[in-house]
Amino acid sequence: MQSFQQGIGQWAGSAEVFDGAGRSLGNGADMRYVQRLADGRVQIDVAFIGPFKHAGTYWISDQGDHRRYLGPANVGYAEAIDSTIVDANAYWPALGLSQRFVLFILPDGNTQLSLALMSRGEQVLYTVVGQHERVSASQQSIPALVSGTSYDLATDPAAGRGAILLHRAGVWRGMLTARNQSRQLIGTSEVVEQIEPLADGLRMSWRGGMVHPELVSCHLRTDGYLAWSLPDQTLAGSYSLSGGRARSGHVHILANGLRCWLREVTTHDGSAKAVLRYWYRGGERISIEYGFLSFAPLS
């Protein structure tokens, strides 16, 4: 697997930055130039200007199904889940921040979605939700932004969009690919997720997929920044929200003891979302599911 095949080039976009509690801190301008060198390494030149700022270069040893970040700006290790999805655990020395990072390249090949949890120790200091477009050297690109000030948006869990995109009444539907603990392909299956807002929260229902295809559902309470299940559910757990368009957390299938680490990012307009599900039994990862779901509102 040539994991960088679709990522080579110049990428420009905007990032929304939130603090560890999910409050908006503002936007960031994010530029990346990715090139493969003659010795086989990949060079990344990155510049980020926002609530925190950083510019630098790092090199990557691309091993197909994994990659090593060799510094100096970024050190660590990443899994190439597929040619279009990378999941990294890394460290940015100049910032003093550890990073759990997932990057998706959408099916069009020219759009990236990303979610970065930036921590010191176990404390998340920043969550960065990004959307980037592939650009040419001569192309002028204005990134998509939601107008507003960080002063006002810090108290708005929807970050100026008027709705928690992941909690709208509707159905998310699409195909997720599954791999086993050795990342060998299992297959692809349709997944349907339905969201029903309630007076005291929402109901979330899942069905489909290769790991647990049976229907499960849970009643969740939410304050717009966090969501957590109530007692006596078939699906139980909690997750963090970032601007209503990204989430990360753990849910449990109580019937069989499975745990899912769920990470999702929607596009700016909320029409689609990238999904990565790591399935565990205890501390052992037994499967990975990933792909893209499209949204249809409930009529």
Side-chain angles (χ1 to χ4, degrees):
M1 182 192 301
Q2 285 295 316
S3 55
F4 268 96
Q5 185 173 350
Q6 298 196 51
I8 298 297
Q10 185 171 332
W11 299 85
S14 65
E16 293 177 71
V17 183
F18 305 88
D19 68 13
R23 271 61 175 179
S24 175
L25 297 175
N27 281 101
D30 197 355
M31 300 288 296
R32 303 175 195 160
Y33 179 46
V34 184
Q35 57 181 317
R36 189 177 294 278
L37 304 180
D39 61 6
R41 293 179 303 161
V42 174
Q43 179 173 316
I44 312 287
D45 298 294
V46 61
F48 183 92
I49 302 172
F52 64 89
K53 60 186 183 296
H54 184 48
T57 297
Y58 60 97
W59 290 274
I60 294 177
S61 172
D62 182 8
Q63 303 299 318
D65 66 346
H66 70 277
R67 57 183 68 168
R68 291 179 56 213
Y69 299 150
L70 304 177
N74 184 16
V75 295
Y77 182 95
E79 292 183 86
I81 306 303
D82 205 326
S83 61
T84 59
I85 301 178
V86 173
D87 179 37
N89 286 272
Y91 182 72
W92 293 77
L95 300 174
L97 294 173
S98 299
Q99 180 191 54
R100 289 174 292 168
F101 176 72
V102 60
L103 173 70
F104 306 86
I105 299 179
L106 270 61
D108 65 11
N110 294 311
T111 305
Q112 293 179 344
L113 294 175
S114 60
L115 175 61
L117 306 177
M118 313 291 290
S119 306
R120 281 191 181 147
E122 294 295 321
Q123 181 178 351
V124 177
L125 299 185
Y126 301 103
T127 300
V128 184
V129 184
Q131 181 165 332
H132 295 74
E133 308 296 331
R134 190 191 301 273
V135 298
S136 64
S138 61
Q139 181 179 354
Q140 298 297 315
S141 177
I142 298 176
L145 299 170
V146 176
S147 296
T149 72
S150 58
Y151 178 86
D152 299 306
L153 298 184
T155 58
D156 177 7
R161 289 186 169 82
I164 303 294
L165 296 181
L166 287 168
H167 285 179
R168 292 169 295 166
V171 175
W172 296 92
R173 185 188 304 269
M175 306 298 290
L176 295 188
T177 298
R179 294 181 180 270
N180 64 18
Q181 63 267 46
S182 301
R183 288 184 288 183
Q184 300 301 307
L185 182 66
I186 299 173
T188 301
S189 177
E190 184 180 52
V191 169
V192 178
E193 178 187 329
Q194 182 167 318
I195 302 296
E196 177 190 359
L198 303 173
D200 61 348
L202 68 143
R203 178 165 297 281
M204 178 176 67
S205 302
W206 285 0
R207 61 175 172 85
M210 303 292 292
V211 179
H212 186 86
E214 294 82 7
L215 176 68
V216 289
S217 67
C218 65
H219 182 181
L220 294 157
R221 291 276 173 81
T222 181
D223 60 3
Y225 301 103
L226 301 165
W228 60 98
S229 69
L230 298 179
D232 302 321
Q233 310 286 317
T234 59
L235 180 69
S238 63
Y239 53 82
S240 303
L241 290 154
S242 301
R245 62 176 290 238
R247 66 179 174 179
S248 177
H250 293 261
V251 294
H252 302 260
I253 309 293
L254 300 184
N256 57 15
L258 289 174
R259 172 173 58 92
C260 177
W261 179 22
L262 173 69
R263 284 175 285 173
E264 298 180 351
V265 187
T266 76
T267 54
H268 279 300
D269 63 4
S271 63
K273 67 178 179 179
V275 174
L276 178 60
R277 297 177 180 177
Y278 278 179
W279 290 94
Y280 296 88
R281 181 166 281 114
E284 179 187 5
R285 191 176 74 187
I286 62 171
S287 185
I288 307 166
E289 287 185 306
Y290 57 91
F292 303 94
L293 306 183
S294 298
F295 180 77
L298 289 177
S299 55

